[in-house]
Amino acid sequence: MADALNNSILKSIKTFKTIQSEVQSINRVALSVDCVIFGFDENKLKVLFIRSDLKKYQSKWSLLGDLVKPEECLDTSAYRILKQRTGLDDVYMEQVHTFGDVHRHPAGRVVTVAYCSLINIQHHKLKILDNELHWHDADSVSELAFDHKEIFDTCFLRLQKRVQEHPLGFSLLPGKFSLRELQNLYEAILSIKLDRRNFRKKFFAMDFLVDLNEIEKNVPHRPGRLYKFDYDKYEKKKKKWSGIDF
Amino acid sequence: MADALNNSILKSIKTFKTIQSEVQSINRVALSVDCVIFGFDENKLKVLFIRSDLKKYQSKWSLLGDLVKPEECLDTSAYRILKQRTGLDDVYMEQVHTFGDVHRHPAGRVVTVAYCSLINIQHHKLKILDNELHWHDADSVSELAFDHKEIFDTCFLRLQKRVQEHPLGFSLLPGKFSLRELQNLYEAILSIKLDRRNFRKKFFAMDFLVDLNEIEKNVPHRPGRLYKFDYDKYEKKKKKWSGIDF
DNA sequence: AATTATTGTGTAAAATAAACACATTCTTTC
DNA sequence: GAAAGAATGTGTTTATTTTACACAATAATT
């Protein structure tokens, strides 16, 4: 037993030559990136899917993804996909998890790195030109192609956790927003009701909202004040908090 | 501008044939798994490295890793590496992050999936037979081969965060442990001093420690009581907490 | 001018976390 | 075997954070 173990250890120690030949010839896999792109519209959390381009899965929606190019970093690849599909680039994006089950994809062994990104649906640069693309309600995503439902679930959970630790939510809102909109956003992401007064208190205490001295327009009731998120202030504060950032 | 964008979108929609040929021929990369294996010994957090097998990096230590085999899932691959190197399998293991910078590895394009695992250094099955392997102090890791320092840092930060949210620490301890040992562990991982009374209170309140009605042996002072971690109780509790689990 | 809907604000209670001291028990030393 | 040393084991008080909760002010609509 100990010998067998010892043996396998010795076997697993490889020379540079062995490694190089393995890297160059065998043991290669296709690598892709899949993006779970969230948006927020009409007080609902939305997620962008595309009609699957594989016949067998044609009735199903799938995530936006592509194979990673030989001279492309993972993050670069994710930004490329986002840019191609939405026209946006300066957005929040985070690598979430890598999925590599042997038979997860019908076209062969494809390992995929999942990214979560948050975009502002009202952004003037946003262009969803492809009519195969569609915004779905994030709280009622049913079956997706391949293992994309699992990937989506993982990213959604990650978003729910992240948003409680860091002020990411602003990425989903326009530059100017009311506190009601901000609260609606959090309620939508977390599927909970929040106390309005405590919510306001909390965000004011964090002290990275800037009062724009403007008020909402075209609302059928008393308009609220508009704020913007102060990234600089937040960055400064972040340093003071725990160095542990994820 | 809009046309160019539109164009790139159209170009990026691929047929099944295109995808299949890409998956099968071009656009492939070598994929590896690297394990950051933590242990706890003499009140210090330890991490297991191996002397790099690449000449250029021979003076440096590196993580334990290997290429993912064609018929192997990522988790499977990580467990295989751990088993080969340590003889252990039933351990805590978590995928942390995937590193895919184009030039991160000298042997070519190698994308690596980093795993963090926690083992009990005193485990009777543990066998570090390879004298190229060495336990290093986790708080003083200097230069490593390739981008392994970055990978280690990422995993270490993840561990520090996780250990504050979930009772992982027990994986690093023997089955029976005293509260002092448990506290030493947390202090080592987080590099902080904790109040002994509040620490005890907290863990007792969580209510998944089982008093074994035994006491420490061979300690040069009054021996403490021994406890074990009750996994079943923890699993039950976990469900009651937020469904958001990472 | 009255009604309606939502904004904006403060305080009290409850829960959680932090600070803190002394008696007890076993080991070692004299 | 008596005294000294060193760490265990325990409760209370204070500070901080979170939760619960009500009413006046403002703009839009009728």
Side-chain angles (χ1 to χ4, degrees), chain A residues 9 13-14 22 27-29 54 66-67 69-70 72 84 95 98 109 130 161 165 246, chain B residues 9 13-14 16 22 28-29 53-54 66-67 69-70 72 84 95 98 109 130 161 165 246:
Chain A
I9 285 177
I13 295 170
K14 293 167 183 168
E22 282 182 358
N27 275 351
R28 292 183 148 216
V29 300
L54 270 66
D66 194 11
L67 293 175
K69 296 185 189 300
E72 197 179 46
Q84 283 178 344
Q95 191 198 109
T98 298
R109 181 81 198 268
D130 185 343
K161 186 168 164 71
E165 298 172 335
F246 66 106
Chain B
I9 286 178
I13 295 170
K14 294 168 183 165
F16 182 44
E22 282 181 358
R28 292 184 148 217
V29 300
D53 41 8
L54 271 67
D66 194 11
L67 293 175
K69 296 185 188 301
E72 198 179 44
Q84 282 178 343
Q95 192 198 109
T98 298
R109 181 81 197 270
D130 185 343
K161 185 168 165 70
E165 298 172 335
F246 65 106

mmCIF file of all heavy atoms in Angstrom, chain A residues 9 13-14 22 27-29 54 66-67 69-70 72 84 95 98 109 130 161 165 246, chain B residues 9 13-14 16 22 28-29 53-54 66-67 69-70 72 84 95 98 109 130 161 165 246:
data_model
loop_
_atom_site.group_PDB
_atom_site.id
_atom_site.type_symbol
_atom_site.label_atom_id
_atom_site.label_comp_id
_atom_site.label_asym_id
_atom_site.label_seq_id
_atom_site.Cartn_x
_atom_site.Cartn_y
_atom_site.Cartn_z
ATOM 1 N N ILE A 9 3.551 8.587 -6.487
ATOM 2 C CA ILE A 9 4.166 9.891 -6.289
ATOM 3 C C ILE A 9 5.364 10.057 -7.205
ATOM 4 O O ILE A 9 5.524 11.067 -7.881
ATOM 5 C CB ILE A 9 4.620 10.071 -4.822
ATOM 6 C CG1 ILE A 9 3.406 10.328 -3.939
ATOM 7 C CG2 ILE A 9 5.590 11.231 -4.696
ATOM 8 C CD1 ILE A 9 3.726 10.438 -2.482
ATOM 9 N N ILE A 13 6.027 12.887 -10.590
ATOM 10 C CA ILE A 13 7.040 13.931 -10.712
ATOM 11 C C ILE A 13 7.584 13.937 -12.131
ATOM 12 O O ILE A 13 8.145 12.956 -12.596
ATOM 13 C CB ILE A 13 8.184 13.708 -9.702
ATOM 14 C CG1 ILE A 13 7.626 13.858 -8.298
ATOM 15 C CG2 ILE A 13 9.302 14.707 -9.930
ATOM 16 C CD1 ILE A 13 8.603 13.425 -7.227
ATOM 17 N N LYS A 14 7.385 15.044 -12.770
ATOM 18 C CA LYS A 14 7.679 15.070 -14.202
ATOM 19 C C LYS A 14 8.864 15.959 -14.520
ATOM 20 O O LYS A 14 9.105 16.957 -13.846
ATOM 21 C CB LYS A 14 6.459 15.578 -14.952
ATOM 22 C CG LYS A 14 5.307 14.606 -14.873
ATOM 23 C CD LYS A 14 4.038 15.258 -15.339
ATOM 24 C CE LYS A 14 2.872 14.290 -15.192
ATOM 25 N NZ LYS A 14 1.603 14.980 -15.354
ATOM 26 N N GLU A 22 3.520 17.505 -22.878
ATOM 27 C CA GLU A 22 2.104 17.377 -22.530
ATOM 28 C C GLU A 22 1.339 18.646 -22.842
ATOM 29 O O GLU A 22 0.227 18.627 -23.364
ATOM 30 C CB GLU A 22 1.955 17.045 -21.036
ATOM 31 C CG GLU A 22 2.247 15.588 -20.730
ATOM 32 C CD GLU A 22 2.046 15.283 -19.251
ATOM 33 O OE1 GLU A 22 1.719 16.215 -18.490
ATOM 34 O OE2 GLU A 22 2.211 14.126 -18.877
ATOM 35 N N ASN A 27 -3.452 16.173 -23.698
ATOM 36 C CA ASN A 27 -4.034 16.763 -22.503
ATOM 37 C C ASN A 27 -4.534 18.190 -22.675
ATOM 38 O O ASN A 27 -4.440 19.004 -21.768
ATOM 39 C CB ASN A 27 -2.994 16.766 -21.364
ATOM 40 C CG ASN A 27 -2.983 15.452 -20.633
ATOM 41 O OD1 ASN A 27 -3.849 14.605 -20.858
ATOM 42 N ND2 ASN A 27 -2.029 15.277 -19.762
ATOM 43 N N ARG A 28 -5.036 18.477 -23.826
ATOM 44 C CA ARG A 28 -5.566 19.822 -24.017
ATOM 45 C C ARG A 28 -7.074 19.792 -24.024
ATOM 46 O O ARG A 28 -7.685 18.820 -24.435
ATOM 47 C CB ARG A 28 -5.056 20.401 -25.330
ATOM 48 C CG ARG A 28 -3.572 20.679 -25.295
ATOM 49 C CD ARG A 28 -3.162 21.307 -26.588
ATOM 50 N NE ARG A 28 -2.061 22.221 -26.364
ATOM 51 C CZ ARG A 28 -1.907 23.360 -27.010
ATOM 52 N NH1 ARG A 28 -2.803 23.741 -27.899
ATOM 53 N NH2 ARG A 28 -0.876 24.136 -26.756
ATOM 54 N N VAL A 29 -7.653 20.893 -23.605
ATOM 55 C CA VAL A 29 -9.112 20.974 -23.608
ATOM 56 C C VAL A 29 -9.521 22.300 -24.240
ATOM 57 O O VAL A 29 -8.731 23.231 -24.318
ATOM 58 C CB VAL A 29 -9.692 20.918 -22.174
ATOM 59 C CG1 VAL A 29 -9.319 19.628 -21.496
ATOM 60 C CG2 VAL A 29 -9.248 22.117 -21.353
ATOM 61 N N LEU A 54 -27.140 25.672 -30.680
ATOM 62 C CA LEU A 54 -27.038 24.247 -31.004
ATOM 63 C C LEU A 54 -28.439 23.670 -31.206
ATOM 64 O O LEU A 54 -29.311 23.848 -30.374
ATOM 65 C CB LEU A 54 -26.315 23.495 -29.891
ATOM 66 C CG LEU A 54 -24.790 23.412 -30.065
ATOM 67 C CD1 LEU A 54 -24.170 24.792 -29.955
ATOM 68 C CD2 LEU A 54 -24.194 22.470 -29.060
ATOM 69 N N ASP A 66 -18.063 32.341 -25.257
ATOM 70 C CA ASP A 66 -17.277 32.036 -26.446
ATOM 71 C C ASP A 66 -16.009 31.312 -26.005
ATOM 72 O O ASP A 66 -15.635 31.362 -24.828
ATOM 73 C CB ASP A 66 -16.910 33.325 -27.179
ATOM 74 C CG ASP A 66 -16.394 33.048 -28.585
ATOM 75 O OD1 ASP A 66 -16.522 31.896 -29.049
ATOM 76 O OD2 ASP A 66 -15.862 33.981 -29.207
ATOM 77 N N LEU A 67 -15.358 30.683 -26.947
ATOM 78 C CA LEU A 67 -14.078 30.050 -26.639
ATOM 79 C C LEU A 67 -13.018 31.116 -26.383
ATOM 80 O O LEU A 67 -13.041 32.191 -26.996
ATOM 81 C CB LEU A 67 -13.642 29.157 -27.804
ATOM 82 C CG LEU A 67 -14.521 27.917 -28.041
ATOM 83 C CD1 LEU A 67 -14.067 27.184 -29.292
ATOM 84 C CD2 LEU A 67 -14.485 26.981 -26.838
ATOM 85 N N LYS A 69 -9.547 32.722 -26.795
ATOM 86 C CA LYS A 69 -8.578 32.677 -27.898
ATOM 87 C C LYS A 69 -7.175 32.398 -27.366
ATOM 88 O O LYS A 69 -6.869 32.686 -26.204
ATOM 89 C CB LYS A 69 -8.606 34.001 -28.654
ATOM 90 C CG LYS A 69 -9.947 34.246 -29.325
ATOM 91 C CD LYS A 69 -9.915 35.507 -30.173
ATOM 92 C CE LYS A 69 -11.304 35.862 -30.669
ATOM 93 N NZ LYS A 69 -11.927 34.808 -31.504
ATOM 94 N N PRO A 70 -6.331 31.862 -28.242
ATOM 95 C CA PRO A 70 -4.992 31.440 -27.802
ATOM 96 C C PRO A 70 -4.192 32.559 -27.135
ATOM 97 O O PRO A 70 -3.422 32.316 -26.220
ATOM 98 C CB PRO A 70 -4.322 31.004 -29.108
ATOM 99 C CG PRO A 70 -5.440 30.600 -29.992
ATOM 100 C CD PRO A 70 -6.578 31.506 -29.650
ATOM 101 N N GLU A 72 -5.313 35.223 -25.413
ATOM 102 C CA GLU A 72 -6.278 36.040 -24.690
ATOM 103 C C GLU A 72 -6.346 35.596 -23.241
ATOM 104 O O GLU A 72 -6.503 34.404 -22.963
ATOM 105 C CB GLU A 72 -7.639 35.856 -25.369
ATOM 106 C CG GLU A 72 -8.676 36.879 -25.054
ATOM 107 C CD GLU A 72 -9.965 36.588 -25.817
ATOM 108 O OE1 GLU A 72 -10.394 35.408 -25.824
ATOM 109 O OE2 GLU A 72 -10.538 37.521 -26.383
ATOM 110 N N GLN A 84 -18.889 42.761 -27.263
ATOM 111 C CA GLN A 84 -19.524 42.345 -28.511
ATOM 112 C C GLN A 84 -21.043 42.319 -28.402
ATOM 113 O O GLN A 84 -21.753 42.688 -29.321
ATOM 114 C CB GLN A 84 -19.039 40.946 -28.912
ATOM 115 C CG GLN A 84 -17.649 40.919 -29.532
ATOM 116 C CD GLN A 84 -17.222 39.498 -29.851
ATOM 117 O OE1 GLN A 84 -17.795 38.534 -29.363
ATOM 118 N NE2 GLN A 84 -16.192 39.367 -30.689
ATOM 119 N N GLN A 95 -14.819 37.103 -11.924
ATOM 120 C CA GLN A 95 -14.781 35.669 -12.188
ATOM 121 C C GLN A 95 -15.424 34.955 -11.015
ATOM 122 O O GLN A 95 -15.154 35.300 -9.856
ATOM 123 C CB GLN A 95 -13.332 35.193 -12.355
ATOM 124 C CG GLN A 95 -13.240 33.790 -12.897
ATOM 125 C CD GLN A 95 -11.883 33.137 -12.666
ATOM 126 O OE1 GLN A 95 -11.748 32.231 -11.850
ATOM 127 N NE2 GLN A 95 -10.881 33.618 -13.384
ATOM 128 N N THR A 98 -15.259 27.939 -12.130
ATOM 129 C CA THR A 98 -14.957 27.240 -13.371
ATOM 130 C C THR A 98 -15.637 25.875 -13.364
ATOM 131 O O THR A 98 -15.553 25.146 -12.378
ATOM 132 C CB THR A 98 -13.441 27.092 -13.545
ATOM 133 O OG1 THR A 98 -12.876 28.404 -13.621
ATOM 134 C CG2 THR A 98 -13.103 26.328 -14.806
ATOM 135 N N ARG A 109 -15.167 17.990 -24.879
ATOM 136 C CA ARG A 109 -14.698 18.469 -23.577
ATOM 137 C C ARG A 109 -14.485 19.977 -23.635
ATOM 138 O O ARG A 109 -13.532 20.443 -24.262
ATOM 139 C CB ARG A 109 -13.385 17.777 -23.192
ATOM 140 C CG ARG A 109 -12.828 18.185 -21.837
ATOM 141 C CD ARG A 109 -13.512 17.442 -20.741
ATOM 142 N NE ARG A 109 -13.369 18.029 -19.419
ATOM 143 C CZ ARG A 109 -12.408 17.730 -18.538
ATOM 144 N NH1 ARG A 109 -11.499 16.834 -18.837
ATOM 145 N NH2 ARG A 109 -12.383 18.296 -17.355
ATOM 146 N N ASP A 130 -28.951 42.228 -31.336
ATOM 147 C CA ASP A 130 -29.233 40.865 -31.759
ATOM 148 C C ASP A 130 -30.584 40.431 -31.204
ATOM 149 O O ASP A 130 -30.786 40.394 -29.998
ATOM 150 C CB ASP A 130 -28.116 39.968 -31.211
ATOM 151 C CG ASP A 130 -28.264 38.547 -31.695
ATOM 152 O OD1 ASP A 130 -29.362 38.192 -32.156
ATOM 153 O OD2 ASP A 130 -27.285 37.812 -31.603
ATOM 154 N N LYS A 161 -24.583 37.397 -2.313
ATOM 155 C CA LYS A 161 -23.641 37.523 -1.210
ATOM 156 C C LYS A 161 -22.795 38.789 -1.336
ATOM 157 O O LYS A 161 -22.654 39.555 -0.385
ATOM 158 C CB LYS A 161 -22.733 36.294 -1.163
ATOM 159 C CG LYS A 161 -21.814 36.280 0.044
ATOM 160 C CD LYS A 161 -21.149 34.928 0.195
ATOM 161 C CE LYS A 161 -19.963 34.978 1.128
ATOM 162 N NZ LYS A 161 -20.361 35.151 2.525
ATOM 163 N N GLU A 165 -21.905 42.678 0.953
ATOM 164 C CA GLU A 165 -20.594 42.982 1.516
ATOM 165 C C GLU A 165 -19.958 44.197 0.867
ATOM 166 O O GLU A 165 -19.139 44.868 1.464
ATOM 167 C CB GLU A 165 -19.654 41.781 1.313
ATOM 168 C CG GLU A 165 -20.123 40.526 2.006
ATOM 169 C CD GLU A 165 -19.281 39.320 1.615
ATOM 170 O OE1 GLU A 165 -18.687 39.329 0.516
ATOM 171 O OE2 GLU A 165 -19.214 38.370 2.414
ATOM 172 N N PHE A 246 -12.344 39.380 -0.287
ATOM 173 C CA PHE A 246 -13.246 38.472 -0.991
ATOM 174 C C PHE A 246 -13.145 37.114 -0.385
ATOM 175 O O PHE A 246 -13.828 36.661 0.381
ATOM 176 C CB PHE A 246 -12.891 38.370 -2.459
ATOM 177 C CG PHE A 246 -11.583 37.737 -2.723
ATOM 178 C CD1 PHE A 246 -11.515 36.459 -3.214
ATOM 179 C CD2 PHE A 246 -10.408 38.395 -2.402
ATOM 180 C CE1 PHE A 246 -10.289 35.879 -3.426
ATOM 181 C CE2 PHE A 246 -9.203 37.807 -2.630
ATOM 182 C CZ PHE A 246 -9.128 36.551 -3.140
ATOM 183 N N ILE B 9 -21.150 41.318 -33.755
ATOM 184 C CA ILE B 9 -22.120 40.428 -33.112
ATOM 185 C C ILE B 9 -22.502 39.305 -34.065
ATOM 186 O O ILE B 9 -22.520 38.138 -33.709
ATOM 187 C CB ILE B 9 -23.387 41.204 -32.682
ATOM 188 C CG1 ILE B 9 -23.064 42.047 -31.464
ATOM 189 C CG2 ILE B 9 -24.528 40.255 -32.407
ATOM 190 C CD1 ILE B 9 -24.205 42.886 -30.988
ATOM 191 N N ILE B 13 -21.843 34.947 -33.727
ATOM 192 C CA ILE B 13 -22.846 33.885 -33.618
ATOM 193 C C ILE B 13 -22.411 32.713 -34.488
ATOM 194 O O ILE B 13 -22.255 32.843 -35.695
ATOM 195 C CB ILE B 13 -24.235 34.395 -34.058
ATOM 196 C CG1 ILE B 13 -24.693 35.480 -33.090
ATOM 197 C CG2 ILE B 13 -25.227 33.252 -34.090
ATOM 198 C CD1 ILE B 13 -25.911 36.222 -33.549
ATOM 199 N N LYS B 14 -22.219 31.616 -33.835
ATOM 200 C CA LYS B 14 -21.621 30.496 -34.553
ATOM 201 C C LYS B 14 -22.579 29.338 -34.732
ATOM 202 O O LYS B 14 -23.448 29.109 -33.915
ATOM 203 C CB LYS B 14 -20.396 29.997 -33.782
ATOM 204 C CG LYS B 14 -19.302 31.028 -33.757
ATOM 205 C CD LYS B 14 -18.241 30.650 -32.754
ATOM 206 C CE LYS B 14 -17.192 31.735 -32.687
ATOM 207 N NZ LYS B 14 -16.359 31.596 -31.502
ATOM 208 N N PHE B 16 -23.342 25.248 -35.031
ATOM 209 C CA PHE B 16 -22.879 24.085 -34.280
ATOM 210 C C PHE B 16 -21.593 23.537 -34.890
ATOM 211 O O PHE B 16 -20.643 23.214 -34.198
ATOM 212 C CB PHE B 16 -23.972 23.011 -34.286
ATOM 213 C CG PHE B 16 -23.601 21.789 -33.495
ATOM 214 C CD1 PHE B 16 -23.007 21.911 -32.232
ATOM 215 C CD2 PHE B 16 -23.837 20.519 -33.991
ATOM 216 C CE1 PHE B 16 -22.678 20.783 -31.495
ATOM 217 C CE2 PHE B 16 -23.492 19.395 -33.262
ATOM 218 C CZ PHE B 16 -22.922 19.527 -32.016
ATOM 219 N N GLU B 22 -14.093 24.035 -33.730
ATOM 220 C CA GLU B 22 -13.211 24.789 -32.843
ATOM 221 C C GLU B 22 -12.843 23.981 -31.608
ATOM 222 O O GLU B 22 -11.700 23.961 -31.170
ATOM 223 C CB GLU B 22 -13.879 26.100 -32.410
ATOM 224 C CG GLU B 22 -13.828 27.175 -33.484
ATOM 225 C CD GLU B 22 -14.467 28.466 -33.015
ATOM 226 O OE1 GLU B 22 -14.977 28.504 -31.876
ATOM 227 O OE2 GLU B 22 -14.447 29.420 -33.783
ATOM 228 N N ARG B 28 -7.443 25.320 -28.351
ATOM 229 C CA ARG B 28 -7.346 24.488 -27.164
ATOM 230 C C ARG B 28 -6.194 24.948 -26.292
ATOM 231 O O ARG B 28 -5.200 25.480 -26.781
ATOM 232 C CB ARG B 28 -7.118 23.030 -27.564
ATOM 233 C CG ARG B 28 -8.325 22.438 -28.241
ATOM 234 C CD ARG B 28 -8.074 20.980 -28.522
ATOM 235 N NE ARG B 28 -9.313 20.251 -28.444
ATOM 236 C CZ ARG B 28 -9.431 19.026 -27.942
ATOM 237 N NH1 ARG B 28 -8.377 18.400 -27.470
ATOM 238 N NH2 ARG B 28 -10.587 18.429 -27.906
ATOM 239 N N VAL B 29 -6.343 24.711 -25.017
ATOM 240 C CA VAL B 29 -5.270 25.105 -24.103
ATOM 241 C C VAL B 29 -4.979 23.948 -23.158
ATOM 242 O O VAL B 29 -5.812 23.059 -22.977
ATOM 243 C CB VAL B 29 -5.664 26.341 -23.260
ATOM 244 C CG1 VAL B 29 -5.965 27.533 -24.136
ATOM 245 C CG2 VAL B 29 -6.830 26.024 -22.345
ATOM 246 N N ASP B 53 9.982 21.628 -10.577
ATOM 247 C CA ASP B 53 10.645 20.653 -11.427
ATOM 248 C C ASP B 53 11.141 21.261 -12.736
ATOM 249 O O ASP B 53 11.654 20.566 -13.598
ATOM 250 C CB ASP B 53 9.731 19.455 -11.706
ATOM 251 C CG ASP B 53 8.313 19.883 -11.965
ATOM 252 O OD1 ASP B 53 8.072 21.090 -12.079
ATOM 253 O OD2 ASP B 53 7.451 19.006 -12.028
ATOM 254 N N LEU B 54 11.007 22.546 -12.875
ATOM 255 C CA LEU B 54 11.547 23.195 -14.063
ATOM 256 C C LEU B 54 12.888 23.832 -13.715
ATOM 257 O O LEU B 54 13.006 24.585 -12.762
ATOM 258 C CB LEU B 54 10.581 24.257 -14.584
ATOM 259 C CG LEU B 54 9.545 23.736 -15.590
ATOM 260 C CD1 LEU B 54 8.578 22.781 -14.943
ATOM 261 C CD2 LEU B 54 8.825 24.895 -16.239
ATOM 262 N N ASP B 66 -1.001 19.438 -11.415
ATOM 263 C CA ASP B 66 -0.805 18.539 -12.543
ATOM 264 C C ASP B 66 -1.799 18.921 -13.629
ATOM 265 O O ASP B 66 -2.787 19.607 -13.360
ATOM 266 C CB ASP B 66 -1.036 17.080 -12.124
ATOM 267 C CG ASP B 66 -0.516 16.099 -13.167
ATOM 268 O OD1 ASP B 66 0.203 16.545 -14.094
ATOM 269 O OD2 ASP B 66 -0.815 14.903 -13.051
ATOM 270 N N LEU B 67 -1.548 18.452 -14.830
ATOM 271 C CA LEU B 67 -2.489 18.692 -15.909
ATOM 272 C C LEU B 67 -3.755 17.870 -15.677
ATOM 273 O O LEU B 67 -3.697 16.766 -15.132
ATOM 274 C CB LEU B 67 -1.867 18.310 -17.252
ATOM 275 C CG LEU B 67 -0.695 19.190 -17.698
ATOM 276 C CD1 LEU B 67 -0.069 18.638 -18.977
ATOM 277 C CD2 LEU B 67 -1.159 20.622 -17.925
ATOM 278 N N LYS B 69 -6.589 15.520 -16.745
ATOM 279 C CA LYS B 69 -6.647 14.476 -17.771
ATOM 280 C C LYS B 69 -7.926 14.607 -18.596
ATOM 281 O O LYS B 69 -8.925 15.153 -18.117
ATOM 282 C CB LYS B 69 -6.585 13.101 -17.119
ATOM 283 C CG LYS B 69 -5.260 12.865 -16.394
ATOM 284 C CD LYS B 69 -5.165 11.456 -15.858
ATOM 285 C CE LYS B 69 -3.936 11.287 -14.986
ATOM 286 N NZ LYS B 69 -2.668 11.580 -15.689
ATOM 287 N N PRO B 70 -7.894 14.097 -19.820
ATOM 288 C CA PRO B 70 -9.027 14.262 -20.731
ATOM 289 C C PRO B 70 -10.365 13.773 -20.150
ATOM 290 O O PRO B 70 -11.403 14.355 -20.422
ATOM 291 C CB PRO B 70 -8.632 13.417 -21.944
ATOM 292 C CG PRO B 70 -7.154 13.393 -21.915
ATOM 293 C CD PRO B 70 -6.775 13.388 -20.467
ATOM 294 N N GLU B 72 -11.324 13.609 -16.935
ATOM 295 C CA GLU B 72 -11.278 13.908 -15.510
ATOM 296 C C GLU B 72 -11.952 15.248 -15.239
ATOM 297 O O GLU B 72 -11.636 16.249 -15.887
ATOM 298 C CB GLU B 72 -9.798 13.973 -15.096
ATOM 299 C CG GLU B 72 -9.525 13.845 -13.640
ATOM 300 C CD GLU B 72 -8.016 13.899 -13.380
ATOM 301 O OE1 GLU B 72 -7.332 14.766 -13.970
ATOM 302 O OE2 GLU B 72 -7.529 13.086 -12.591
ATOM 303 N N GLN B 84 -2.362 11.611 -4.282
ATOM 304 C CA GLN B 84 -1.021 11.185 -4.686
ATOM 305 C C GLN B 84 0.058 11.741 -3.770
ATOM 306 O O GLN B 84 1.010 11.061 -3.425
ATOM 307 C CB GLN B 84 -0.734 11.663 -6.125
ATOM 308 C CG GLN B 84 -1.380 10.826 -7.203
ATOM 309 C CD GLN B 84 -1.093 11.370 -8.597
ATOM 310 O OE1 GLN B 84 -0.681 12.518 -8.744
ATOM 311 N NE2 GLN B 84 -1.329 10.557 -9.608
ATOM 312 N N GLN B 95 -12.725 24.897 -4.762
ATOM 313 C CA GLN B 95 -12.173 25.611 -5.902
ATOM 314 C C GLN B 95 -12.172 27.099 -5.588
ATOM 315 O O GLN B 95 -13.158 27.626 -5.051
ATOM 316 C CB GLN B 95 -13.011 25.367 -7.161
ATOM 317 C CG GLN B 95 -12.330 25.844 -8.417
ATOM 318 C CD GLN B 95 -13.273 26.018 -9.600
ATOM 319 O OE1 GLN B 95 -13.584 27.123 -10.037
ATOM 320 N NE2 GLN B 95 -13.752 24.887 -10.120
ATOM 321 N N THR B 98 -9.510 30.708 -11.100
ATOM 322 C CA THR B 98 -8.790 30.186 -12.253
ATOM 323 C C THR B 98 -7.870 31.265 -12.816
ATOM 324 O O THR B 98 -8.293 32.400 -13.006
ATOM 325 C CB THR B 98 -9.789 29.698 -13.317
ATOM 326 O OG1 THR B 98 -10.552 28.634 -12.753
ATOM 327 C CG2 THR B 98 -9.063 29.201 -14.553
ATOM 328 N N ARG B 109 0.924 27.961 -23.105
ATOM 329 C CA ARG B 109 -0.332 28.431 -22.542
ATOM 330 C C ARG B 109 -0.914 27.362 -21.629
ATOM 331 O O ARG B 109 -1.398 26.329 -22.103
ATOM 332 C CB ARG B 109 -1.334 28.742 -23.664
ATOM 333 C CG ARG B 109 -2.673 29.271 -23.180
ATOM 334 C CD ARG B 109 -2.581 30.736 -22.868
ATOM 335 N NE ARG B 109 -3.671 31.255 -22.055
ATOM 336 C CZ ARG B 109 -4.806 31.759 -22.527
ATOM 337 N NH1 ARG B 109 -5.026 31.795 -23.817
ATOM 338 N NH2 ARG B 109 -5.719 32.229 -21.691
ATOM 339 N N ASP B 130 7.746 12.125 -0.343
ATOM 340 C CA ASP B 130 8.620 12.781 -1.294
ATOM 341 C C ASP B 130 9.440 13.857 -0.573
ATOM 342 O O ASP B 130 8.887 14.802 -0.028
ATOM 343 C CB ASP B 130 7.732 13.409 -2.367
ATOM 344 C CG ASP B 130 8.544 14.021 -3.480
ATOM 345 O OD1 ASP B 130 9.745 14.240 -3.281
ATOM 346 O OD2 ASP B 130 7.954 14.284 -4.529
ATOM 347 N N LYS B 161 -11.176 34.456 4.927
ATOM 348 C CA LYS B 161 -12.564 34.882 4.885
ATOM 349 C C LYS B 161 -13.506 33.729 5.237
ATOM 350 O O LYS B 161 -14.397 33.876 6.070
ATOM 351 C CB LYS B 161 -12.895 35.413 3.496
ATOM 352 C CG LYS B 161 -14.295 35.983 3.396
ATOM 353 C CD LYS B 161 -14.468 36.754 2.119
ATOM 354 C CE LYS B 161 -15.935 37.019 1.826
ATOM 355 N NZ LYS B 161 -16.524 37.992 2.753
ATOM 356 N N GLU B 165 -16.692 32.617 8.336
ATOM 357 C CA GLU B 165 -18.096 32.428 7.994
ATOM 358 C C GLU B 165 -18.559 30.997 8.243
ATOM 359 O O GLU B 165 -19.727 30.761 8.467
ATOM 360 C CB GLU B 165 -18.317 32.767 6.520
ATOM 361 C CG GLU B 165 -18.002 34.207 6.166
ATOM 362 C CD GLU B 165 -18.056 34.454 4.664
ATOM 363 O OE1 GLU B 165 -17.869 33.495 3.895
ATOM 364 O OE2 GLU B 165 -18.283 35.604 4.272
ATOM 365 N N PHE B 246 -22.069 30.945 -0.133
ATOM 366 C CA PHE B 246 -20.694 31.304 -0.533
ATOM 367 C C PHE B 246 -20.696 32.540 -1.375
ATOM 368 O O PHE B 246 -20.723 33.596 -1.009
ATOM 369 C CB PHE B 246 -20.071 30.191 -1.372
ATOM 370 C CG PHE B 246 -20.741 29.974 -2.672
ATOM 371 C CD1 PHE B 246 -20.137 30.392 -3.855
ATOM 372 C CD2 PHE B 246 -21.987 29.397 -2.730
ATOM 373 C CE1 PHE B 246 -20.760 30.195 -5.059
ATOM 374 C CE2 PHE B 246 -22.605 29.194 -3.939
ATOM 375 C CZ PHE B 246 -21.992 29.598 -5.109
#
